[in-house]
């Protein structure tokens, strides 16, 4: 059998099964097969728990437990699980490079970037002297477009931004010039504009070095216009795979359809009717807040501004999206609105309701639903507790109210008797929302309520928030870094940068192109933005923007 | 600036301890009547002793006089031996330092490798054996272990002297007693520190880069695991000094620990104050050094951002 080298698959996974070894083995991945040919950009897509990360860790023989493995993984001509120790080292050094989800965790926090690059370089150039190694390290950093590479060598990972750290990780993974780059959710921990930069970098390196890429992600949006092949995993089984163009245009499996639907971006049409202006609910008036690193910084007046003459309004029954990257002051604004932080100057007004002169009630929903629920208490007890604290003595009344609220967020009765550990991410987040709703607030402040859950579940929560606005007339201040969420449900968009409002417009006008440069950059960074042109398609799915990449 | 603040904090801690010692000792009764039987001693004699040892006037006067004399470097006289308290304590210090120093070495020499191996084989038979042994180790009171050792090595085997100081043989049993009991605790700390580190993403990523297990261990596991250990070690060394009180008494070791026991039973306040202050100074200094070392070992604690 003769193959031309470019025809030979770099990766060949045959009937892969991964199970936890026990008296009754728990199967995590079953019967997964795929091939990746040289130069392919292969995307492995699925939700958390679908086995996509396990599969790619198995390809490196890096599972955190001793598994039962079935089938074979052949990469670069080597059967990974039958390699001995020495061959495995050589395989990890020469054949593959791997990039992880959280770059800050993947780098040793107590050693400098330089020392970690040098120790890896020494593997490949055991006889090189210090100067040569240093030059190679600088070259490697330059290769991933890190500015001032020489000065970064002496720096610790926590002193660099997430995007730069991920670039360092990519440089490290490629030091041995591997044929295959495995990237396990490489951009999930990053801001959206940084995400686009890192993905562009991977594209560029792939073209330049003729690299084969395996990208693992839960977000179809980021791969639909980059990948050449897509494989969809669900519950440890392969649901669908094929050329990206085909899958994107006509997904066959119901599950992939759902994933695509969840990842599709509906650009707000300009004809959305303007809502009539309701009375204001929360007003930020010229609010200033600066954080200082130390007392001395405070005296010198050099601090980190989290809010600079911040002014905006949230009206009744309106969803206002507060967007911006990490460090732009979104969370500080939320904390100040809840009274958890005091502004340095300016005022934050929570308005009175019309009929009775009591201030409107505000509740908060946090980012990580599991962290804000008590893991040891049943959901029901946690909800009762909230009401009890607020003086609801009658148990039957409490129960009625809880059932009504649970229905409002779209949950079924049976979740009440469970503990948080037995809830899915989406259910847990809706329980948190329900808990906030129990006290019948007029406004919710939701700090990144979607970033900890899968795309498909995001939909459910978005629907839930929408229903709250439309049926109960609750105002929502939604803090997010994901523009897709904004397009979906927001009425008004407030863009923050370095604590300043750079934009405050209705969402229908947001994408008309005549925006502030920074906002434009955020808009451009939205994955799958090509769907704007394709939004007319009746299927609701969009074609990838650049066919040239797919042909690759 | 940072250093100055830390030193200031150390000085304040020291002052608090000095004050606490004063309060605690005065609160337990009139020292003069504890030493002399007031029924058989003339009032004049009692008064003259009060005068001599600085127990006149109100409690506040006494406190002031006490602090002033401390600042002057005058730590009072031992009532047991009528010599300066400082001299009495200092002459006992080397013996205790020898004991604690060697015990600490023993603790680390056992704890580090055993804890590491247990962590590497977590859940395995070796790990379970080590952990059960460690539980026995720290559940066993020091004096029981000490007496057990004496029974074995002195009474039955006639190998080691049961009491006194002078040769290396005298050191063996006290060091074993303190070192083993603390090693039992330290091993557990090492094990959990290493276990925490083994799961770190940076260890996985180092493995993915093809570093050898040896390199991963020394450059990525130890460098991270050492941080919690640096915090706990001085606490354990402090506990060793405390354990010394019992162990030194059992083995007739003329160290500071036994001095505390003697000083308490004879109400030799000047000596007791001196010992407590000395231990406090040692502990505070150690903690200061550890804080500074920690900043060196963990770059994240120094907040400076690079650009």
């Amino acid at each position: 059998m003769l193959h031309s080298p470019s025809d030979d698959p770099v990766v060949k996974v045959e009937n892969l099964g991964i199970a936890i070894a026990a008296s009754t083995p728990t199967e995590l991945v079953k019967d997964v097969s795929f091939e990746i040919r040289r130069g392919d950009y292969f995307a492995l897509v699925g939700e958390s728990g679908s086995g996509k990360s396990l599969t790619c860790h198995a390809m490196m023989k890096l599972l955190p437990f001793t598994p039962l493995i079935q089938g074979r993984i052949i990469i670069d001509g080597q059967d990974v699980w039958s390699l001995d120790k020495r061959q495995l080292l050589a395989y990890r050094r020469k054949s593959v490079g791997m990039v992880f989800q959280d770059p800050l965790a993947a780098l040793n926090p107590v050693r400098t970037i330089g020392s970690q690059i040098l120790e890896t370089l020494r593997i490949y150039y055991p006889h090189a002297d210090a100067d040569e190694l240093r030059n190679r390290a600088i070259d490697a950093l330059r290769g991933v477009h890190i500015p001032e590479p020489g000065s970064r060598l002496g720096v610790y990972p926590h002193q660099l931004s997430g995007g730069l750290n991920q670039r360092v990780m990519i440089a490290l993974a490629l030091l041995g010039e591997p044929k295959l780059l495995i990237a396990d959710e490489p951009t999930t921990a990053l801001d959206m504009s940084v995400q686009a930069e890192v993905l562009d970098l991977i594209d560029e390196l792939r073209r330049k070095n003729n690299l084969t890429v395996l990208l693992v992600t839960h977000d179809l949006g980021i791969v639909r216009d980059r990948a050449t092949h897509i494989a969809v995993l669900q519950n440890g089984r392969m649901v669908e795979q094929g050329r990206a163009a085909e899958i994107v245009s006509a997904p066959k499996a119901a599950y992939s359809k759902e994933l695509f639907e969840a990842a599709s971006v509906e650009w707000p049409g300009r004809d959305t009717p303007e809502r009539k202006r309701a009375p204001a609910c929360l007003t930020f008036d010229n609010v200033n807040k600066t954080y200082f690193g130390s007392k001395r910084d405070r005296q010198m007046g050099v601090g980190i501004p989290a809010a600079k003459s911040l002014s905006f309004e949230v009206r009744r029954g309106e969803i206002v999206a507060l967007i911006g990257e990490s460090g732009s002051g979104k969370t500080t604004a939320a904390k100040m609105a809840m009274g958890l932080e005091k502004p340095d100057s300016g005022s934050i007004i929570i308005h009175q309701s019309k009929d009775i002169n009591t201030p409107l009630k505000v509740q908060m929903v946090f980012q990580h639903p599991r962290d804000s629920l008590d893991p040891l208490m049943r959901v029901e007890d946690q909800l009762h507790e909230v009401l009890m604290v607020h003086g609801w003595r009658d148990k039957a009344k409490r129960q009625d109210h809880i059932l009504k609220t649970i229905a409002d967020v779209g949950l079924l009765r049976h979740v009440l008797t469970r503990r948080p550990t037995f809830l899915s991410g989406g259910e847990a987040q809706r329980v948190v929302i329900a808990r906030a709703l129990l006290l019948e607030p007029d406004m919710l402040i939701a700090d990144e309520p979607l970033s900890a859950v899968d795309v498909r579940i995001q939909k459910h929560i978005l629907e839930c928030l929408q229903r709250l606005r439309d049926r109960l007339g609750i105002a929502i201040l939604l803090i997010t870094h994901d523009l897709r969420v904004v397009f979906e449900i927001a009425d008004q968009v407030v863009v923050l940068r370095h604590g300043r409002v750079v934009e405050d417009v209705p969402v229908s006008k947001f994408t008309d192109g005549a925006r502030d440069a920074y906002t434009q950059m955020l808009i451009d960074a939205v994955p799958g933005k090509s769907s704007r042109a394709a939004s007319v398609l009746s299927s609701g799915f969009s074609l990838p923007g650049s066919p040239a990449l797919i042909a690759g | 600036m940072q250093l100055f603040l830390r030193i200031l904090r150390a000085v304040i801690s020291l002052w608090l301890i000095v004050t606490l010692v004063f309060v605690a000792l005065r609160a337990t009764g009139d020292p003069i009547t504890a030493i002399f039987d007031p029924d058989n001693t003339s009032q004049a004699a009692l008064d003259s002793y009060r005068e001599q040892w600085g127990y006149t006037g109100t409690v506040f006067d006494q406190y002031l006089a006490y602090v002033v004399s401390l600042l002057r470097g005058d730590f009072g006289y031992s009532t047991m031996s009528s010599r300066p308290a400082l001299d009495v304590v200092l002459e006992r210090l080397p013996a205790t330092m020898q004991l604690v120093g060697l015990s600490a070495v023993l603790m680390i020499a056992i704890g580090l490798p055993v804890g590491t191996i247990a962590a590497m084989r977590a859940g395995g038979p070796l790990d379970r054996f080590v952990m059960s042994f460690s539980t026995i180790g720290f559940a066993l009171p020091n004096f029981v272990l000490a007496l057990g050792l004496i029974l074995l090595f002195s009474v039955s085997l006639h190998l080691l002297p049961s009491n006194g100081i002078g040769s290396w043989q005298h050191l063996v049993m006290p060091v074993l007693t303190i070192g083993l009991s603390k090693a039992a605790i330290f091993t557990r700390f090492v094990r959990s520190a290493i276990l925490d580190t083994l799961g770190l993403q940076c260890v996985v990523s180092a493995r993915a880069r093809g570093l050898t297990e040896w390199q991963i261990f020394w450059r990525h596991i130890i460098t991270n695991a050492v941080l919690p250990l640096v915090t706990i070690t001085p606490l354990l060394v402090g506990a060793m000094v405390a354990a010394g009180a019992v162990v030194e008494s059992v083995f007739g070791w003329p160290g500071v620990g036994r001095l505390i026991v003697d000083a308490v039973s004879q109400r030799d306040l000047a000596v007791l104050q001196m010992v407590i202050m000395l231990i406090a100074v040692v502990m505070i200094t150690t903690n200061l050094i550890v804080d500074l070392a920690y900043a060196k070992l963990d770059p994240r604690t120094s907040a400076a951002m690079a650009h």
Side-chain angles (χ1 to χ4, degrees):
Chain A
M1 290 276 281
L2 274 174
H3 284 292
S4 69
S6 66
D7 248 20
D8 228 21
V10 177
V11 178
K12 199 169 173 189
V13 174
E14 294 172 346
N15 306 328
L16 176 68
I18 305 173
I20 298 174
S23 49
T24 49
T26 319
E27 286 185 333
L28 301 169
V29 170
K30 196 165 161 48
D31 212 17
V32 166
S33 307
F34 57 88
E35 275 187 15
I36 308 177
R37 293 188 180 275
R38 170 163 291 212
D40 279 358
Y41 192 133
F42 193 93
L44 200 56
V45 187
E47 297 184 334
S48 43
S50 62
K52 56 190 182 340
S53 260
L54 276 178
T55 306
C56 79
H57 278 78
M59 293 167 73
M60 291 296 276
K61 207 174 175 184
L62 276 178
L63 292 171
F65 52 92
T66 316
L68 289 173
I69 291 284
Q70 285 168 342
R72 290 197 303 169
I73 301 174
I74 297 168
I75 295 175
D76 198 13
Q78 298 153 88
D79 182 349
V80 178
W81 282 81
S82 64
L83 297 176
D84 64 27
K85 259 188 188 161
R86 216 203 203 125
Q87 291 167 322
L88 189 65
L89 273 186
Y91 160 75
R92 285 175 182 159
R93 288 172 181 180
K94 303 248 167 66
S95 300
V96 257
M98 188 157 178
V99 177
F100 298 84
Q101 176 167 353
D102 183 357
L104 194 57
L107 290 163
N108 189 339
V110 299
R111 294 181 51 205
T112 59
I113 303 280
S115 79
Q116 301 186 55
I117 298 179
L118 291 180
E119 90 181 343
T120 315
L121 273 172
R122 237 171 252 129
I123 296 174
Y124 303 111
Y125 307 98
H127 305 299
D129 60 17
D131 273 350
E132 188 194 336
L133 286 177
R134 198 184 137 79
N135 287 335
R136 283 187 187 278
I138 291 174
D139 282 346
L141 291 183
R142 197 173 284 138
V144 292
H145 306 306
I146 290 182
E148 305 165 54
S151 66
R152 310 287 181 176
L153 292 179
V155 154
Y156 291 96
H158 72 278
Q159 294 169 312
L160 295 180
S161 68
L164 282 182
N165 273 323
Q166 196 58 291
R167 283 166 193 268
V168 171
M169 272 311 293
I170 294 174
L172 271 173
L174 297 181
L175 282 180
E177 292 164 13
K179 293 198 179 72
L180 174 70
L181 177 70
I182 300 180
D184 183 7
E185 301 262 12
T187 58
T188 311
L190 305 175
D191 276 330
M192 209 169 255
S193 64
V194 181
Q195 161 172 308
E197 285 169 22
V198 169
L199 291 173
D200 286 345
L201 173 69
I202 294 178
D203 278 348
E204 180 199 322
L205 293 170
R206 171 173 163 249
R207 254 176 291 141
K208 217 159 48 186
N209 306 349
N210 191 22
L211 205 59
T212 310
V213 175
L214 168 62
L215 188 93
V216 176
T217 181
H218 68 275
D219 189 348
L220 265 174
I222 67 171
V223 290
R224 77 159 107 218
D225 39 8
R226 294 177 198 268
T228 59
H229 293 76
I230 293 180
V232 182
L233 281 183
Q234 182 188 20
N235 299 331
R237 283 162 200 270
M238 185 72 80
V239 181
E240 183 164 15
Q241 63 172 317
R243 290 194 152 266
E246 289 159 19
I247 293 200
V248 167
S249 58
K252 286 188 209 72
Y255 178 69
S256 2
K257 278 186 193 154
E258 227 178 308
L259 277 184
F260 267 105
E261 217 163 304
S264 71
V265 186
E266 284 163 30
W267 290 77
R270 259 168 255 175
D271 51 345
T272 323
E274 192 109 345
R275 286 169 172 275
K276 66 172 196 288
R277 313 239 85 181
C281 178
L282 171 81
T283 307
F284 270 66
D285 186 18
N286 229 350
V287 172
N288 285 291
K289 172 90 189 167
T290 310
Y291 287 111
F292 296 98
S294 66
K295 261 211 180 104
R296 202 161 127 232
D297 285 355
R298 185 183 293 275
Q299 283 155 6
M300 309 281 282
V302 282
I304 303 142
K308 265 189 186 166
S309 33
L310 192 63
S311 303
F312 65 90
E313 249 180 4
V314 181
R315 294 169 190 287
R316 302 255 180 96
E318 190 181 67
I319 296 181
V320 175
L322 198 57
I323 62 175
E325 313 212 309
S326 34
S328 61
K330 294 172 301 192
T331 300
T332 308
K335 281 184 178 163
M336 289 193 291
M338 282 303 290
L340 300 171
E341 292 269 358
K342 277 212 159 62
D344 295 339
S345 68
S347 56
I348 297 164
I349 305 154
I350 293 173
H351 293 272
Q352 316 257 306
S353 57
K354 281 171 291 184
D355 33 350
I356 22 169
N357 277 345
T358 48
L360 296 170
K361 281 182 280 183
V362 183
Q363 286 287 322
M364 185 136 182
V365 174
F366 296 93
Q367 179 170 5
H368 296 289
R370 284 187 208 288
D371 292 353
S372 51
L373 291 170
D374 185 333
L376 298 177
M377 272 169 86
R378 291 185 310 148
V379 168
E380 191 172 32
D381 298 337
Q382 303 196 35
L383 297 179
H384 274 291
E385 187 189 34
V386 172
L387 289 174
M388 233 145 43
V389 168
H390 285 83
W392 291 52
R393 303 232 172 269
D394 186 349
K395 186 162 185 207
K397 251 192 199 162
R398 286 203 306 258
Q399 187 69 16
D400 282 351
H401 188 58
I402 286 171
L403 286 177
K404 194 180 130 285
T405 315
I406 285 287
D408 278 342
V409 296
L411 282 174
L412 297 173
R413 228 189 140 128
H414 66 85
V415 297
L416 286 178
T417 53
R418 298 202 186 153
R419 285 178 218 282
T421 348
F422 296 100
L423 300 176
S424 73
E427 283 170 338
Q429 189 59 286
R430 276 180 281 173
V431 167
V432 172
I433 295 174
R435 189 176 58 180
L437 288 178
L438 280 179
L439 299 170
E440 299 175 323
D442 305 282
M443 180 173 161
L444 277 183
I445 297 177
D447 187 1
E448 302 267 10
L450 302 166
S451 62
V453 294
D454 282 320
V455 219
R456 214 156 48 113
I457 294 158
Q458 285 189 4
K459 276 272 183 210
H460 298 304
I461 294 172
L462 285 180
E463 281 162 15
C464 165
L465 292 177
Q466 239 160 346
R467 197 162 52 225
L468 296 180
R469 174 191 65 189
D470 297 340
R471 293 231 321 257
L472 306 177
I474 293 176
I476 299 171
L477 178 61
L478 180 72
I479 294 161
T480 180
H481 66 269
D482 192 341
L483 274 175
R484 289 178 288 182
V485 173
V486 176
F487 296 153
E488 191 100 11
I489 63 168
D491 302 303
Q492 186 83 7
V493 187
V494 177
V495 182
L496 286 190
R497 189 180 195 203
H498 302 318
R500 275 180 206 281
V501 174
V502 295
E503 199 90 56
D504 185 358
V505 291
V507 79
S508 51
K509 298 206 181 106
F510 186 59
T511 52
D512 59 13
R515 297 268 78 92
D516 164 272
Y518 175 72
T519 315
Q520 199 55 50
M521 194 185 85
L522 287 180
I523 294 174
D524 289 343
V526 174
K529 57 179 173 292
S530 48
S531 57
R532 183 182 196 174
S535 60
V536 284
L537 283 180
S538 56
S539 66
F541 306 118
S542 49
L543 289 163
S546 46
L549 262 179
I550 292 156
Chain B
M1 188 66 188
Q2 204 62 17
L3 183 67
F4 173 76
L5 278 179
R6 280 172 199 272
I7 291 175
L8 186 70
R9 210 163 62 195
V11 170
I12 291 174
S13 319
L14 193 59
W15 171 72
L16 280 175
I17 286 166
V18 163
T19 308
L20 267 178
V21 165
F22 179 85
V23 171
L25 294 186
R26 292 308 186 278
T28 50
D30 183 351
I32 298 294
T33 52
I35 297 164
F36 303 101
D37 180 359
D39 297 334
N40 295 328
T41 320
S42 70
Q43 192 60 40
L46 287 178
D47 287 345
S48 81
Y49 275 116
R50 274 184 213 284
E51 190 76 32
Q52 190 182 338
W53 290 331
Y55 297 134
T56 50
T58 65
V59 175
F60 293 105
D61 293 338
Q62 288 183 28
Y63 177 66
L64 265 182
Y66 159 75
V67 172
V68 167
S69 59
L70 285 188
L71 288 178
R72 269 204 233 112
D74 171 11
F75 300 102
Y77 279 80
S78 159
T79 47
M80 289 188 290
S81 58
S82 302
R83 291 189 300 136
L86 185 63
D87 294 355
V88 173
V89 176
L90 283 184
E91 74 182 15
R92 298 290 195 100
L93 200 57
T96 293
M97 300 234 297
Q98 200 178 21
L99 186 58
V100 170
L102 284 174
S103 304
V105 170
L106 183 67
M107 170 185 89
I108 293 170
I110 295 176
L112 265 189
V114 174
T116 305
I117 292 168
M120 295 291 200
R121 308 246 182 289
L126 191 71
D127 179 35
R128 270 175 292 173
F129 174 74
V130 167
M131 284 303 102
S132 336
F133 217 78
S134 136
T135 310
I136 298 171
F138 70 74
L140 205 64
N142 277 327
F143 66 90
V144 175
L145 180 58
L147 293 178
L149 287 175
I150 290 179
L151 270 177
L152 181 66
F153 289 113
S154 304
V155 180
S156 305
L157 300 175
H158 301 290
L159 279 177
L160 298 168
S162 69
N163 199 304
I165 184 169
S167 66
W168 67 266
Q169 285 100 331
H170 286 97
L171 264 167
V172 174
M173 286 196 293
V175 167
L176 274 181
T177 311
I178 298 181
L180 283 179
S181 64
K182 293 297 174 273
I185 301 173
F186 191 62
T187 305
R188 286 190 161 239
F189 275 111
V190 172
R191 177 180 176 272
S192 70
I194 299 271
L195 262 185
D196 285 347
T197 320
L198 284 178
L200 287 184
Q201 192 73 61
C202 70
V203 172
V204 178
S205 95
R207 201 163 282 144
R209 293 205 294 277
L211 266 61
T212 61
E213 289 301 317
W214 182 256
Q215 289 171 326
I216 293 172
F217 180 76
W218 287 106
R219 297 183 190 163
H220 294 275
I221 294 177
I222 283 293
T223 50
N224 282 293
V226 88
L227 298 175
L229 297 181
V230 164
T231 320
I232 192 72
T233 307
L235 292 178
L236 285 175
V237 171
M240 284 182 179
V241 177
V246 171
V247 174
E248 286 178 7
S249 299
V250 173
F251 291 105
W253 188 261
V256 175
R258 212 174 109 201
L259 187 62
I260 297 181
V261 177
D262 292 347
V264 168
S265 61
Q266 308 207 15
R267 298 201 64 76
D268 193 340
L269 299 193
V271 169
L272 197 51
Q273 280 166 0
M274 196 58 235
V275 174
I276 295 173
M277 276 191 288
L278 198 75
I279 293 176
V281 169
V282 171
M283 290 308 293
I284 289 171
T285 325
T286 330
N287 272 311
L288 191 65
I289 294 171
V290 166
D291 275 0
L292 297 177
Y294 199 95
K296 269 264 173 276
L297 287 170
D298 188 352
R300 285 167 295 185
T301 47
S302 47
M305 279 285 284
H307 294 286

